[in-house]
Amino acid sequence: MRKAYLLALFLIAIAIAASAQKNGSIKGIAFDTLGKQAVPSATITVLDKKDSSLITFTMTDNLGGFELRGIPNGDYRLLISHVNYHNSNTFFTISDSAKSLDLGSITLNDKNKVLEEVVLNSEAPPVTMIGDTIQYNAGSFKTIPNANVEQLLKKLPGVKVDKDGKITAQGEKVNRVLVDGKEFFGNDPKIATRNLPADAIDKVQVYDKQSDQAQLTGFDDGNYEKTINLKLKKDKKKGVFGKVNAGGGTDDRYEGRFNVNSFKGARQMSAIGMANNTNAEGFTFTDILSFTGALNQMKQGGSFTINGDEAAALGLGNNLNGGINTTWAGGLNYNNVFGDKLDWQSNYFFNRYNPHSTSRVLRQNFLPGSTNFYEQNAVSDNLSNSHRMNINALYQIDSFHSLRINPSLSYQQNDNNSVSDSRTRAENGDMINDAVSDSRSSRDGYTFRNELVFRKKFRQKGRTFSISLQNSLNESNGDGDLQSMIGYYNAGSLYRRDTLNQRNTTNGDMRGYSARAVYTEPLWRRSLLEFSLGRSNTENTSNKTTYDYNKVSGKYDKLNTQLTNDFENTYSYTNGGIRLRTQRRNYNYSVGLTVQQAELEGKVTSGVKDSLITKRFRNLLPTASFQYNISKFKSASLQYMTNTNQPTMAQLQPVPDVTNPLYIREGNPNLKQEFSHLLRTNLNLVSPFTNKNFFFNAALMATQNKIVNYDSVNALTGVRKTKPVNVNGVYNLNGSISYSRPVRFLKGTVELSSNFGYNRGKQFINTIGNNIKTMSMGPELRFDLNPTDQLNLGLSAAYNYTRTTYSLQSALNNTYLSQEYNTSADWQLPKNFFLSTSLVYTVNTQRAAGFNVEVPLWNASLSKQFLKYNRGEIKLSAFDLLNRNTGITRNTSQNYIEDREVNTIRRYFLLNFTYSLTKSGLGNGVQVGTIRMR
C-alpha cells in the first residue's frame, strides 16, 4: 500500500514538471483615457472564464504596464481593479496558436468622473496588494459549513496551518492575529482563529508588523512580527453575531462551545466558552495555564523542582502531552477607544483543566561497559483552576508623547496525583530494584506584573527617547504527600526494602523590577545611533519543611532535616549598549555591543547547615544583522547575536535532594554561566502573483560552558546521583526548506518541504564522558486539490529519519524512522448535506519491542443544514473508526534511550447541533468565485 502511494506521488511530480513547459503569457497597459495617464499599482487578476477560479495575479508597474507568464491553454477573464477606478474586464484565450498575447491599452474609468451604472460589474478581486500588505477577499474562498477562521486560513495562497493550529504565512510563523487592528483575547492566535466564524470575515490582511522601536523612530531595525489582521464584514460591526454548539456521544463524550460578539465602531465586546472531554482546543492551554511566577520560583529554588528523570522514576510525567483531557473554559474581551486619546484593550479568562494519563516507559540506561533496563507504568490525574486578567491601555498625550500601561494578574490552583510502579533489571534479566509510589501535591498562588512605557518623539526624524519600567511579584503556597516502597536486589534476590511516608509544606514569593531607557539620535540621513541603559533586580525566597510519619504518635511530626531547607537569592544585572542602524533602499544593517555585569547571591539553610553562594559575571555581548531586499517579495537576511544563561539556585546549592532515593540530585557551587553564540539566516522568495514560493532558514548555536548532567549510577542498586557541570563543544544546527507551486491539471497546489537538524551534546556517566550526536531529516510532499467546486482533497506523505550515536557505547547507536501518510476529503452533497473524512496513517519502526506500531487514524463526519437562513446544523462525527489510536514518542538525547507510550482517546461517535445567531446562517459552502491557485 505504501509503495503504491509513493509511486502515485512520484508520477504526479513528473507530470507537474512536464506540464510546466506548456504555458503562455499576456501583457498590456492599464490606462486612464480621461486623465490621459497610465494607472500604476492596479491589481491584475486572471480568472477562469467558466467558473471565475483564480489563475494568477500581479500589479501594474509605475508606467501602468503588466505581464503575466505561465498561463496554460484555456479561456480566461482579465479583471483589473484599483481603489480609484471602476473594475474592468477583458476576455482572452491562450491556445497552441496564440501563446503570447499583447492586450495593448486597457481603459479604466475614474470613479469620480464616471457613474457606477456604466460599469458591467463591480467585484472584489480574490487577492490584492496594498503596499506591503497581501489582502485576501474572504468571500472568494470556499469553506465548509460552520467553518471557523482557521479553516478559512487553510484555503489562502501562501498561508499554512498545521494540525496544532500553528500558522505560517510566506514561510514565517504568525505570532499575532488581530481583529480590526485590535488584539482579540490577548496575543494567542488560536483564540481568534478557532473561535471566530469564517463567515464573519470580509478581508484577511497579512503583513510584517514593525517593532515598537522601529515605529517610534521611523527607521526599520530588521525586527518585525508576521501578523494577520481580520477585517470584519460591515454588518458584523453593528449588532450581535456568533454561534452556539452542543453535542454528546458514546463513551460519555461531550462537547460544547459558544462565541457571542457585539461590535460597534471601535467598541469590541466578545464572550467565548467551551466544555469538552474530547481533547478539543479553543486556544493554547499552555499559555493560559502558565504559572510563570511559581514556575520561576521553583526553578530558582530547586529544592522542590521535579526534573524529567525524577518524574519518570516517581511517575510524575508531563500530563500536557497525551492522555485524556477534560476542559471547562471561558473568557470576556472588551476593546474600545475613548475620545481621541485613550485606546483600551482588556480581557479575562477562566480555565478548568483536568488531564488524566496512563503511561508506559521502557528505557535502556547506559553504563560504562554495560547497560540496564528500566520499565515503568504510571497513572496521573491532575486538576488546575486558573483566572487571568490583562489590560493594555495606550494614552496618546499628544502627537509627540504617549504612555502605555500594561498590567496583568493571574491566580491558579493545582492538585496533582500520581501512582506508579517501576523496576530496573540488569542485562541478564536479574532484578536490581523495584518501586511503587503514590504522591499528591496541592499548590495555589498569584502572579502580578505591570509594565509602564513612556515614549517621546522629537521633531527631527529618528530622534526619540523612551523609558520602560516593569515590576512583578508572586506568592505561592503548597503541600504534598509521598508514600513509596523501594526494594533492592542482589543477584536477583531481595535483600533490603526501604519505605517513605512523608508530608511537606512549601511557600515562597518573588519580587522584581527592571528598567530600561533608550535614546536614538539620527546620524546622517539614513542612519541613527541607539544608546540604551538597563537595570534589573529579582529577589526570591522559599521555604520547604518535610515531616516523616511517626509510628509512635501516628502523626507526621518527625522533622526530616535532609529534606527541609530555606533559601533566599537575589539576581541583578546592569547593562549599557550602543547600536548603529542604517537603512538603505534595498538593504539595512545594524551592529551593536552591550556591556553587562550580573550578580547572583544566595543563602541556603538545610537543617543546621548554611550555604552562602555569591557569583559575579561580566560579559561583552555583540550583535549584528543584515537584510537585503532583492525585490518587494524576495529577501535574504543574516543575524548574529549572543546571550548568557545564569545557573539557577537549584543547580548551585550544594545540598543533596533525596526526595527520590533512586534519583539523588546535588548542586555545584562552581558552575559558570552559559554563553551562547547564535547565527541565523533566512532566504524568502515569494511570488504572490503566481503563488510560487521558496523558503529557506537555518540557525547554528554554539554554547560555551554548557550546563549538563554528571551522573553516577550504582550498578548494584540502580541508584542514580547527578550534579550539573560545565562543558564546551556543544552546538546544534537546525533549519527547513520548502518549495510550493500551483498545478493546473490537478486543480490545486503542491509543496515539497523538509526540516533538518544536527545536535552535538555531552553527558557524563560514572566519570566517563558520553558524546551524543543526533542527525535528523524530515521530507514532506503535500497536495491540496480542488477537482470540482464541491470537492476538496488533500494528500501528503512525510518521513522523519533520526540517527543518534554515542561515544560511550557505539554498539547502542540507533536509527529510527517515522512515516506519516495523510488523505482528506471535503465533499458538498445535494440538499445541504456535507461529508468530510480524513485518514492519517502513522508508522513507527526500529524502536523497542512493543513500540513499533502502525496507527491508522480515520475520522469522518456527515452534516446537514436546516432551519430558516440555514441557521441550524446537525452533524454526526466518528473519531478513530478503526479503534487504533495511540501515542508513542522516543527520546535519545540523554544517557539512555527511552520509548514512551501514553493513552489516547479511542473510537467514539458524537452528535452535534450548531445554531447561528445571525440571519446569514452557518454558510452553505458556496463561494463568490472558486479559488484554485495554478
Side-chain angles (χ1 to χ4, degrees):
M1 176 181 175
R2 294 198 300 273
K3 292 182 178 179
Y5 199 119
L6 291 176
L7 177 61
L9 293 178
F10 178 70
L11 293 176
I12 291 173
I14 293 177
I16 292 169
S19 68
Q21 309 299 322
K22 301 178 180 180
N23 298 322
S25 65
I26 62 169
K27 64 179 180 179
I29 299 174
F31 199 80
D32 179 356
T33 55
L34 294 180
K36 296 181 180 181
Q37 61 182 2
V39 181
S41 300
T43 301
I44 310 297
T45 308
V46 176
L47 304 169
D48 191 296
K49 182 180 178 181
K50 180 181 179 181
D51 59 10
S52 294
S53 59
L54 176 64
I55 306 300
T56 184
F57 71 102
T58 188
M59 295 182 71
T60 57
D61 57 27
N62 292 334
L63 299 178
F66 65 89
E67 183 174 7
L68 287 165
R69 300 180 181 273
I71 305 175
N73 289 355
D75 297 324
Y76 302 101
R77 175 164 62 98
L78 182 74
L79 171 66
I80 305 181
S81 56
H82 192 282
V83 66
N84 296 324
Y85 293 85
H86 294 299
N87 291 352
S88 171
N89 285 280
T90 302
F91 297 90
F92 67 94
T93 299
I94 297 292
S95 64
D96 290 336
S97 59
K99 284 290 186 184
S100 300
L101 301 180
D102 187 346
L103 302 180
S105 295
I106 301 175
T107 301
L108 296 184
N109 296 305
D110 193 314
K111 286 184 177 180
N112 296 320
K113 299 177 181 179
V114 181
L115 295 178
E116 177 72 24
E117 285 74 12
V118 305
V119 183
L120 294 178
N121 77 45
S122 180
E123 61 182 302
V127 187
T128 56
M129 299 298 305
I130 304 175
D132 292 335
T133 299
I134 302 175
Q135 179 171 280
Y136 301 91
N137 177 34
S140 298
F141 297 85
K142 180 180 179 180
T143 57
I144 64 174
N146 197 25
N148 57 26
V149 170
E150 181 176 293
Q151 292 163 302
L152 169 64
L153 295 180
K154 291 179 179 180
K155 302 293 182 181
L156 306 184
V159 179
K160 185 177 179 181
V161 184
D162 69 11
K163 61 183 179 181
D164 296 321
K166 185 180 71 174
I167 308 167
T168 56
Q170 286 78 56
E172 297 182 68
K173 182 181 178 182
V174 175
N175 292 313
R176 193 176 298 271
V177 174
L178 308 177
V179 178
D180 280 342
K182 304 290 186 181
E183 287 188 349
F184 188 75
F185 285 95
N187 57 6
D188 179 7
K190 288 185 184 179
I191 300 181
T193 61
R194 291 186 170 177
N195 289 282
L196 283 176
D199 56 22
I201 307 304
D202 180 35
K203 301 288 190 299
V204 178
Q205 298 173 328
V206 180
Y207 65 100
D208 293 329
K209 185 177 183 295
Q210 290 186 326
S211 68
D212 291 343
Q213 190 65 22
Q215 294 179 52
L216 180 66
T217 62
F219 280 72
D220 187 357
D221 60 1
N223 296 319
Y224 58 85
E225 189 174 38
K226 185 65 73 174
T227 300
I228 288 179
N229 181 44
L230 305 172
K231 294 193 68 174
L232 296 174
K233 294 177 179 177
K234 290 184 178 179
D235 63 324
K236 305 300 182 184
K237 298 182 181 181
K238 49 181 180 180
V240 177
F241 69 94
K243 295 174 183 176
V244 180
N245 169 282
T250 58
D251 297 330
D252 296 323
R253 299 284 169 226
Y254 64 86
E255 281 188 2
R257 182 191 301 270
F258 73 85
N259 66 80
V260 181
N261 307 275
S262 174
F263 289 6
K264 184 178 181 180
R267 191 206 69 194
Q268 299 180 350
M269 296 180 63
S270 300
I272 61 174
M274 64 181 296
N276 70 79
N277 61 357
T278 60
N279 289 11
E281 283 191 37
F283 33 75
T284 307
F285 288 126
T286 51
D287 289 344
I288 293 178
L289 289 174
S290 177
F291 200 16
T292 309
L295 292 175
N296 184 63
Q297 174 82 26
M298 293 169 68
K299 182 179 178 182
Q300 293 293 329
S303 58
F304 43 85
T305 299
I306 304 293
N307 67 18
D309 288 324
E310 183 175 6
L314 287 177
L316 309 176
N318 182 359
N319 293 294
L320 290 177
N321 297 324
I324 299 175
N325 309 322
T326 302
T327 303
W328 293 72
L332 299 172
N333 187 78
Y334 178 76
N335 300 332
N336 208 345
V337 175
F338 299 95
D340 57 358
K341 292 184 179 296
L342 180 60
D343 186 342
W344 177 275
Q345 301 178 50
S346 59
N347 56 75
Y348 163 79
F349 280 109
F350 166 74
N351 189 71
R352 187 180 190 274
Y353 184 56
N354 181 203
H356 183 279
S357 71
T358 302
S359 63
R360 179 170 67 101
V361 172
L362 183 61
R363 179 190 300 173
Q364 186 174 7
N365 292 304
F366 299 163
L367 297 173
S370 66
T371 62
N372 63 41
F373 297 88
Y374 171 84
E375 183 180 356
Q376 177 215 65
N377 297 290
V379 177
S380 64
D381 186 13
N382 300 334
L383 175 64
S384 172
N385 290 295
S386 64
H387 302 262
R388 188 180 70 180
M389 184 174 67
N390 302 297
I391 296 174
N392 189 346
L394 174 63
Y395 183 71
Q396 195 69 41
I397 302 172
D398 54 38
S399 58
F400 293 98
H401 304 83
S402 67
L403 181 67
R404 182 182 296 277
I405 303 174
N406 190 191
S408 65
L409 175 66
S410 64
Y411 173 78
Q412 185 163 328
Q413 295 176 303
N414 293 318
D415 291 302
N416 301 320
N417 298 275
S418 175
V419 178
S420 72
D421 63 84
S422 65
R423 61 210 55 83
T424 305
R425 297 180 183 273
E427 285 183 284
N428 63 5
D430 286 348
M431 187 77 75
I432 296 176
N433 64 54
D434 60 19
V436 292
S437 173
D438 185 351
S439 66
R440 178 203 63 83
S441 66
S442 297
R443 193 171 187 85
D444 66 86
Y446 74 89
T447 299
F448 174 78
R449 297 184 188 83
N450 186 43
E451 181 179 27
L452 185 69
V453 181
F454 172 77
R455 294 188 175 96
K456 175 178 176 59
K457 274 176 136 178
F458 294 87
R459 295 190 179 276
Q460 184 172 353
K461 180 182 178 181
R463 180 178 294 165
T464 67
F465 174 76
S466 64
I467 184 169
S468 62
L469 300 172
Q470 295 178 327
N471 70 290
S472 58
L473 57 94
N474 73 60
E475 291 186 2
S476 59
N477 299 279
D479 59 71
D481 293 295
L482 173 63
Q483 298 179 24
S484 68
M485 182 180 296
I486 303 172
Y488 299 95
Y489 295 77
N490 185 9
S493 299
L494 178 69
Y495 72 90
R496 191 180 92 216
R497 188 171 293 280
D498 295 339
T499 60
L500 289 178
N501 190 353
Q502 300 172 341
R503 178 166 295 173
N504 67 73
T505 59
T506 60
N507 59 78
D509 62 72
M510 184 272 289
R511 302 289 185 271
Y513 74 86
S514 63
R516 188 169 188 261
V518 178
Y519 174 78
T520 61
E521 178 66 25
L523 189 66
W524 309 299
R525 184 181 175 186
R526 298 183 179 273
S527 299
L528 62 77
L529 279 175
E530 177 184 282
F531 302 91
S532 63
L533 183 65
R535 171 67 181 173
S536 177
N537 187 82
T538 304
E539 297 180 358
N540 287 279
T541 63
S542 180
N543 306 307
K544 180 180 181 180
T545 305
T546 302
Y547 292 96
D548 291 325
Y549 181 74
N550 190 335
K551 294 181 179 180
V552 176
S553 65
K555 299 179 180 179
Y556 292 91
D557 57 10
K558 189 177 179 180
L559 183 67
N560 187 319
T561 57
Q562 286 185 299
L563 298 179
T564 297
N565 58 63
D566 304 333
F567 80 86
E568 303 173 1
N569 80 291
T570 301
Y571 176 70
S572 62
Y573 68 80
T574 304
N575 60 33
I578 183 172
R579 182 166 61 153
L580 171 66
R581 285 194 275 152
T582 298
Q583 181 176 311
R584 294 287 187 265
R585 179 179 179 182
N586 294 327
Y587 66 90
N588 65 73
Y589 66 86
S590 69
V591 291
L593 180 67
T594 298
V595 180
Q596 178 173 290
Q597 177 169 307
E599 296 181 351
L600 180 64
E601 297 180 352
K603 178 181 179 181
V604 180
T605 301
S606 180
V608 296
K609 178 182 178 182
D610 288 350
S611 299
L612 299 176
I613 299 171
T614 301
K615 290 284 185 179
R616 288 180 172 80
F617 311 100
R618 293 181 178 85
N619 297 107
L620 296 177
L621 304 174
T623 61
S625 66
F626 178 80
Q627 178 175 328
Y628 180 69
N629 299 314
I630 304 168
S631 65
K632 190 173 185 180
F633 295 102
K634 296 178 173 61
S635 66
S637 65
L638 185 67
Q639 188 177 32
Y640 168 74
M641 62 182 66
T642 55
N643 69 282
T644 62
N645 181 39
Q646 321 303 326
T648 66
M649 287 301 296
Q651 295 170 326
L652 289 169
Q653 65 184 60
V655 180
D657 183 349
V658 294
T659 303
N660 176 11
L662 293 179
Y663 192 91
I664 301 172
R665 296 177 296 112
E666 184 174 1
N668 180 2
N670 297 315
L671 281 180
K672 302 176 183 177
Q673 66 175 184
E674 296 179 345
F675 191 99
S676 297
H677 305 261
L678 175 63
L679 185 64
R680 179 183 295 145
T681 183
N682 291 277
L683 176 63
N684 299 323
L685 306 178
V686 178
S687 177
F689 313 123
T690 63
N691 198 30
K692 295 179 181 178
N693 307 304
F694 176 83
F695 306 109
F696 171 80
N697 66 80
L700 173 65
M701 175 178 282
T703 304
Q704 298 171 264
N705 297 319
K706 178 70 175 178
I707 299 175
V708 302
N709 287 340
Y710 188 106
D711 294 340
S712 60
V713 178
N714 187 315
L716 297 178
T717 64
V719 174
R720 179 187 296 261
K721 296 181 180 180
T722 186
K723 70 175 181 179
V725 296
N726 294 111
V727 298
N728 290 317
V730 174
Y731 61 88
N732 64 77
L733 170 69
N734 61 77
S736 65
I737 185 171
S738 71
Y739 172 73
S740 62
R741 58 159 295 158
V743 187
R744 175 175 171 76
F745 80 96
L746 290 176
K747 298 183 178 180
T749 60
V750 60
E751 179 179 18
L752 178 62
S753 62
S754 178
N755 59 72
F756 57 89
Y758 180 80
N759 181 77
R760 187 183 189 279
K762 189 172 185 177
Q763 302 279 319
F764 288 90
I765 184 75
N766 288 2
T767 73
I768 299 176
N770 185 18
N771 295 313
I772 305 173
K773 302 176 183 178
T774 301
M775 181 182 69
S776 62
M777 179 176 293
E780 178 180 3
L781 182 63
R782 189 182 77 167
F783 293 91
D784 293 312
L785 313 176
N786 301 109
T788 70
D789 291 349
Q790 290 75 35
L791 181 63
N792 299 328
L793 297 175
L795 301 170
S796 68
Y799 297 83
N800 190 54
Y801 169 88
T802 303
R803 175 171 174 76
T804 304
T805 62
Y806 306 93
S807 64
L808 181 66
Q809 289 199 36
S810 59
L812 297 177
N813 295 348
N814 72 94
T815 300
Y816 60 95
L817 179 68
S818 295
Q819 308 168 52
E820 183 176 290
Y821 306 94
N822 194 320
T823 62
S824 64
D826 296 321
W827 190 10
Q828 184 175 328
L829 303 172
K831 300 185 181 299
N832 287 336
F833 280 94
F834 199 91
L835 176 66
S836 181
T837 184
S838 66
L839 174 64
V840 180
Y841 187 64
T842 304
V843 182
N844 296 308
T845 59
Q846 297 171 292
R847 300 192 177 189
F851 293 85
N852 293 303
V853 296
E854 299 183 1
V855 183
L857 183 59
W858 182 18
N859 302 330
S861 67
L862 178 66
S863 61
K864 161 73 175 175
Q865 288 184 294
F866 61 105
L867 300 180
K868 191 175 182 179
Y869 305 112
N870 286 330
R871 278 187 168 186
E873 179 195 69
I874 189 166
K875 177 189 289 187
L876 177 63
S877 303
F879 178 84
D880 188 20
L881 276 165
L882 303 178
N883 204 31
R884 296 278 299 279
N885 191 31
T886 188
I888 291 178
T889 57
R890 165 165 280 206
N891 179 17
T892 61
S893 62
Q894 302 293 321
N895 286 323
Y896 51 76
I897 301 172
E898 178 184 274
D899 289 310
R900 177 183 294 265
E901 180 180 11
V902 181
N903 68 314
T904 55
I905 294 180
R906 303 295 287 268
R907 179 172 56 204
Y908 70 91
F909 298 87
L910 195 72
L911 185 65
N912 283 80
F913 172 72
T914 302
Y915 182 76
S916 173
L917 303 178
T918 56
K919 289 186 178 181
S920 58
L922 295 163
N924 57 9
V926 177
Q927 74 281 15
V928 184
T930 307
I931 297 305
R932 298 179 188 141
M933 292 302 292
R934 308 291 199 253

